[in-house]
Structure formats: C-alpha cells, structure tokens
Amino acid sequence: MNGKRALPSGAGIGLRAPHVGELLATRPAVPWLEVHPENYMSGGPALVLLEAVRREYPVSLHGVGLSLGTAGDLDARHLSRLRSLVDRLEPCLVSEHLSWSTAGGAYLNHLLPLPYTDETLRVVADHIDEVQNALGRRILIENPSSYLRFRHSSMAEPHFLAELARRTGCGLLCDVNNIYVSAWNVGLDAGSYLDALPVPAIGEIHLAGHAANDADGRTILIDDHGSPVTAPVWKLYQRALERFGSVPTLIEWDTDIPELSVLLGEASVADRLLEAFTSEDDHACAA
Amino acid sequence: MLALRELQARFTDSLFATEDPTLLDLVDGDGLDARARLAVYRHHVLTTLTATLEAAYPVVCRLVDRRFFGYAADAFIRRHLPTEPCLAEYGAGFPDFLASFPACGALPYLPDVARLEWAVHTAAQHSDAASLDLARLRRVDPRDMAQLRFVPDPSLALLASPWPVDRIWKAHQEGTSKELPGLQDGPVCLQIHVVGETVAMRVLEPATFAFRDALTRGLTLGEAAGSALERDPSFGLQQAISELLDDCIFSNFTLVTEERA
C-alpha cells in the first residue's frame, strides 16, 4: 500500500479507542480512517492495534499537539515523536490546526485562538515549514472553531489560511462544522468564509456535531463532536462541495461516542452527497 | 497591541491565575462579555483534563464520588497543568497532590490507591518488553554475580503501602461487589507489570519486595541481597533469583566491572 498517496475519495471516520476492536473484527467498508497521533505516541498495545488497523485501511494522522501558533520554538520532542509515528505508519495524510496550546511550558489541551496579524503569520508559517521539512511531506492545516476574536487582527481567518498555504505550500483542511460554529459565535458569514478559501489548497473536509450552550443569556455553539451533524452544517457542506468539488470527508465524534454503526451511517450520508460532485475523472483516479 | 508571546502568557494567566485587563481589552466581545468568552475555553480545558484524570484514576473517583473528584481534579489541574500533549502521560503527580490536599485527610489510604492506579495505568501503555538474555546470564562468572545490575521492564512498578490497597482496588473494579477489606488488613507489598497483553498485580513477601525494589533502584545483586537479608535473615537468595527470572520483570543486565571498563 502506498502510504504517501492522497486520501482515498469518499467519507471516512475518526477512529476512537472504543471502536478499534469492532472495526478489526468486522472490517466495515469505510474508505479511510483518521486518528490523533497523540493517543499513540506512548506506544504499547494501542499502537500495536493501530498498526493492525493500518494494514487494512489507509490512515490519516490528525495532530492536536504541535501548537503551531505558539510564539517561540516548537516542542522538539513532540515533533520527533510525530516523525517516528509517521515513519512507522506511513499515513496517507498528516494534518494539524491553526491554533496554539502551549505557553510558558504549559500544555492547555485546547485549540486556542490566534490574532491574525503579520507576526502570527510569520510564526505559524515558520512552524509549518519546520514540520513539513521534518516530516518530508506536505501537511494540511485546519481552520479552528472560535469562541472569541481579537480586535487587533488585521486579516480575516480564511485570508490568513490562504496566505499560509501560499507561503508554505501546505494544504488546507476545511472543517465545515467549525466554520458554522465560528460564524455563529463571533459573527462571520459562513458562505463568504467558504468563498475566500483557495480551492486548490483544500485537501480534506471535516464534519461533526456541535452543542448549544447558554453564556450570559446568549447561545454559544460548542464544537464538542458529541452528536450527529446538524442540518445547517449539512447544507453548508453542500455549498462547500459546490465550491471545492468532491473532497475526501471525515466524520468526527469525540464525546458521548455512539456505536460504530452510527458513525458509519453519518459517513454514508456524506458519501451520497459527495457522489453528486464526483466527476468521471475522479472515478478513474479512484479505480 | 501585545506581541504574540505576551498575549499567550496573559491568556494563560487569565484562564488559570489572574485575569488580565489588557488581554480582556483585546477580545472583541461582540455583545458578550469578554470574560464569558474566555470562560468557554477555561471550561473546556478543565473538563477535558478532569476526564483524563478520571480515566487514569477510576477507583479514586469511585471512592470519593464524582463531584468531589471534580473538585480535587480542578485544584490539581490549576496547579499542575500538563507540560506536553500526550495526555496518557498526564497525572503522575495526582497521588502526591491528594496526599497534601487537606480535604482528603479523612481517607489516608487514598494517595496509595492512586499510586496503584497510576502504576496500572502506565503499565497498560506498555507492551511486553524484551526478555532477559538468559544464555548470557549463565555465562557470567559466579564470582561476579554480586556485581550484576538489572534493567527493569519499563512497565514495572513496585508499591509498598500500610493499607490493603490491592483489595480496595479490586473491590472497586467495575462489576464487582466484593466487600471492602478492613483497613487493618494492610500493609501490602505489590508488584505491577505487563505480562503478555494484561497488567499483572502480585503480592510480594516484604523481603522479596526489598530485594526487587533495590534492584529496580539500580543497586547491585549483592547490595539488593543485603537489603532483603536485613528484612528477613532467612531470605533465600538462590530461590529469589530463580523467581525473579520466572517473573520476567527485568529486560537486561550489566556487570559493574563492564560499566567501569
């Protein structure tokens, strides 16, 4: 299996620990899987099982720990552990986030927001260069879900992402649910956001559910990956496909994880929508 | 405007220490108080890290109930944020924290139960390590035996407690309804390590524990035998070595004379 090819077409699922046993036992017809590398860096039985999964399915590594937006050096140990895992698993794709998680030696376990300034652009672009050089491959960068924005940002988020892709050659992972959640929370126009993303850079789409919480009498949408994809997000997804064409899509589910069949059901919904945008050429490539 | 490094330091402080007015001014509230927006991030960090600790310390959580666990976890997290992104490795300091947490004073055995859970949790992240090269060990000159130093299997932990923490732990496994042991049923010496794909927990005699504990701490076979004999003058070294090899808790060895060379 060629590990460095692009993602297979079609809709994959995020693989979480409770589903690994069932997946290996039943081998459902899902085209690809995605995991968080941080869950496998300690090695041991979890990694042994993931290697068994990898022998059956293409796997994408979706990192949450590099903290590309941290002012200062990347965590060299973490990058080295990621490289070891990439060498071992030969994933079909590696992605990370436009965010920061580490400051002053503390890891905050959240994808925290950045001001979109020239300084941030330099910091993130340098870090993406460093990661792409270390891994010897192109990575994708995902748009975050936002609960605030900074007054001194001088660029809109999609323009910032487009500029990162231009400077570093990285691809973009368009999380449609994140766009919907951010648009609601910080007052963006989701359609204009999609229109501002550079089409050739989009290498993957994410879909997930979100929750609605009350914050001082106002509804804030929380990107908790704990429920089915909502109707407005499916609608925005269709609009994304109209703009980007048939892009490999992933269903993520991280809290209140349901039966594996529920995730596979969500993926088949995405697959049906994807088929409408799959050209004859795409079919030839996938064959 | 703040430089990015400064903004990130003040953001972290505002989440877990002192709210920073300069940072709050930079947040576009858009009709919602900047504090309420920061609270969304704080809440996520605390709840996900609490869930991480709960997954590593399920018995402690059952012993104190989830609400109190959340209270203790919150205090721990604010003082000891993770230092790196692999969260399976987060929480090593929780047992010591519980020992110093005044609200846990009524449960003196709680920190040792937590230490046992951490040993089980970390062992479960290891596969069977390479086994000791017995053929090479047999070739060691008997006169050099006292100078052997062993390298422990990475999954190995040894734990001595004045409380019957193994039985407390077993009584609180999911689906069990065993009676709680009396606290007078302690003390206990435990060995935790991975055998095949499972974590094995074994009760050791105090002299055997002293012997293995000394070896784990890097003392030589001769020194470890001395520790065991102090504990129990009838300690049988031959049998102890034979049992040690049967248990496969050491993955390599060196000779002190070779180390010097």
Side-chain angles (χ1 to χ4, degrees):
Chain A
M1 194 176 287
N2 180 355
K4 289 199 178 183
R5 69 177 183 178
L7 285 179
S9 60
I13 60 168
L15 179 63
R16 303 296 175 252
H19 294 151
V20 173
E22 184 183 351
L23 184 102
L24 284 170
T26 60
R27 310 272 162 87
V30 59
W32 57 283
L33 303 163
E34 190 165 278
V35 298
H36 296 311
E38 288 76 13
N39 294 341
Y40 300 92
M41 286 179 179
S42 306
L47 181 56
V48 171
L49 281 175
L50 181 61
E51 287 183 310
V53 169
R54 175 66 187 90
R55 286 192 284 274
E56 305 297 328
Y57 295 94
V59 168
S60 157
L61 293 182
H62 183 51
V64 293
L66 271 176
S67 194
L68 296 172
T70 288
D73 294 337
L74 287 178
D75 178 343
R77 177 168 179 254
H78 190 67
L79 180 55
S80 148
R81 291 174 102 178
L82 178 63
R83 187 172 50 213
S84 302
L85 206 58
V86 167
D87 290 347
R88 193 156 168 177
L89 290 169
E90 296 193 326
C92 51
L93 199 129
V94 178
S95 54
E96 252 289 349
H97 296 83
L98 175 59
S99 63
W100 66 281
S101 313
T102 306
Y107 173 73
L108 301 180
N109 197 40
H110 201 346
L111 303 165
L112 297 168
L114 287 163
Y116 298 126
T117 62
D118 288 338
E119 184 201 6
T120 307
L121 192 58
R122 280 194 305 277
V123 166
V124 181
D126 284 352
H127 285 159
I128 293 172
D129 282 341
E130 189 182 341
V131 173
Q132 293 190 141
N133 286 335
L135 302 183
R137 61 193 293 160
R138 181 183 190 235
I139 63 171
L140 302 189
I141 301 298
E142 178 182 332
N143 56 296
S145 47
S146 301
Y147 307 100
L148 64 78
R149 58 176 170 176
F150 292 104
R151 291 183 199 282
H152 61 300
S153 285
S154 55
M155 255 174 276
E157 189 173 282
H159 295 127
F160 189 94
L161 285 161
E163 184 57 19
L164 278 179
R166 194 190 66 78
R167 286 195 187 192
T168 67
C170 75
L172 299 178
L173 194 175
C174 174
D175 190 311
V176 174
N177 182 59
N178 286 0
I179 294 177
Y180 183 80
V181 163
S182 297
W184 177 284
N185 291 337
V186 302
L188 307 174
D189 182 84
S192 309
Y193 191 114
L194 281 178
D195 290 344
L197 289 174
V199 174
I202 307 296
E204 181 183 348
I205 290 178
H206 272 184
L207 291 171
H210 58 254
N213 281 13
D214 179 77
D216 289 354
R218 180 167 151 178
T219 299
I220 288 281
L221 299 185
I222 306 292
D223 175 36
D224 68 347
H225 299 183
S227 54
V229 178
T230 62
V233 172
W234 282 121
K235 205 170 157 194
L236 192 61
Y237 176 56
Q238 276 182 283
R239 180 154 176 183
L241 295 183
E242 281 161 19
R243 176 160 165 76
F244 305 135
S246 173
V247 177
T249 300
L250 184 90
I251 302 294
E252 292 184 294
W253 204 313
D254 291 289
T255 49
D256 297 328
I257 297 176
E259 297 288 306
L260 178 60
S261 59
V262 176
L263 268 84
L264 295 170
E266 291 274 277
S268 66
V269 175
D271 256 333
R272 280 198 294 278
L273 294 169
L274 275 170
E275 271 169 27
F277 294 93
T278 305
S279 69
E280 291 300 315
D281 288 351
D282 289 337
H283 278 302
C285 284
Chain B
M1 189 171 117
L2 289 176
L4 187 59
R5 186 189 295 272
E6 191 60 24
L7 179 146
Q8 290 172 339
R10 291 182 189 218
F11 195 101
T12 308
D13 279 350
S14 296
L15 290 192
F16 297 111
T18 319
E19 218 168 60
D20 183 88
T22 313
L23 181 92
L24 291 175
D25 283 346
L26 287 177
V27 173
D28 185 352
D30 188 28
L32 184 63
D33 191 296
R35 289 181 186 86
R37 293 189 176 274
L38 281 176
V40 176
Y41 292 97
R42 182 186 299 114
H43 179 76
H44 177 95
V45 176
L46 289 173
T47 50
T48 55
L49 291 178
T50 298
T52 299
L53 292 173
E54 200 179 317
Y57 296 100
V59 172
V60 170
C61 187
R62 275 173 218 137
L63 282 167
V64 298
D65 88 37
R66 282 193 80 182
R67 200 163 151 195
F68 184 87
F69 188 88
Y71 168 64
D74 187 284
F76 172 75
I77 293 162
R78 286 170 190 269
R79 278 176 234 181
H80 306 279
L81 284 164
T83 54
E84 62 100 54
C86 295
L87 291 184
E89 294 161 22
Y90 177 59
F94 195 52
D96 285 350
F97 169 81
L98 291 176
S100 68
F101 196 48
C104 292
L107 302 176
Y109 50 86
L110 198 64
D112 277 352
V113 173
R115 287 184 185 104
L116 174 57
E117 290 209 279
W118 186 253
V120 171
H121 173 75
T122 48
Q125 292 167 50
H126 288 94
S127 301
D128 242 353
S131 47
L132 208 62
D133 184 346
L134 290 176
R136 193 178 137 233
L137 188 62
R138 278 189 216 101
R139 289 197 299 272
V140 172
D141 188 321
R143 287 167 299 183
D144 291 337
M145 286 294 277
Q147 300 302 310
L148 282 174
R149 240 196 263 280
F150 288 88
V151 179
D153 176 309
S155 75
L156 175 67
L158 295 167
L159 174 72
S161 174
W163 317 103
V165 287
D166 55 330
R167 277 176 281 175
I168 296 173
W169 185 86
K170 282 175 188 153
H172 286 81
Q173 293 308 297
E174 219 149 357
T176 57
S177 55
K178 284 178 199 149
E179 274 180 42
L180 262 180
L183 291 183
Q184 71 285 355
D185 292 343
V188 69
C189 294
L190 295 171
Q191 168 182 292
I192 299 99
H193 75 124
V194 162
V195 180
E197 290 178 359
T198 53
V199 177
M201 188 187 303
R202 227 189 114 182
V203 178
L204 300 179
E205 291 298 323
T208 307
F209 181 88
F211 178 60
R212 295 183 178 195
D213 187 50
L215 289 174
T216 305
R217 286 186 285 113
L219 298 185
T220 62
L221 192 62
E223 291 162 338
S227 298
L229 284 164
E230 261 176 44
R231 192 65 71 91
D232 178 4
S234 67
F235 177 73
L237 184 58
Q238 284 294 342
Q239 194 187 341
I241 293 174
S242 160
E243 286 173 3
L244 188 77
L245 298 177
D246 286 347
D247 267 10
C248 300
I249 55 171
F250 292 101
S251 54
N252 205 348
F253 66 89
T254 55
L255 266 173
V256 177
T257 46
E258 287 170 358
E259 289 168 11
R260 287 191 192 123

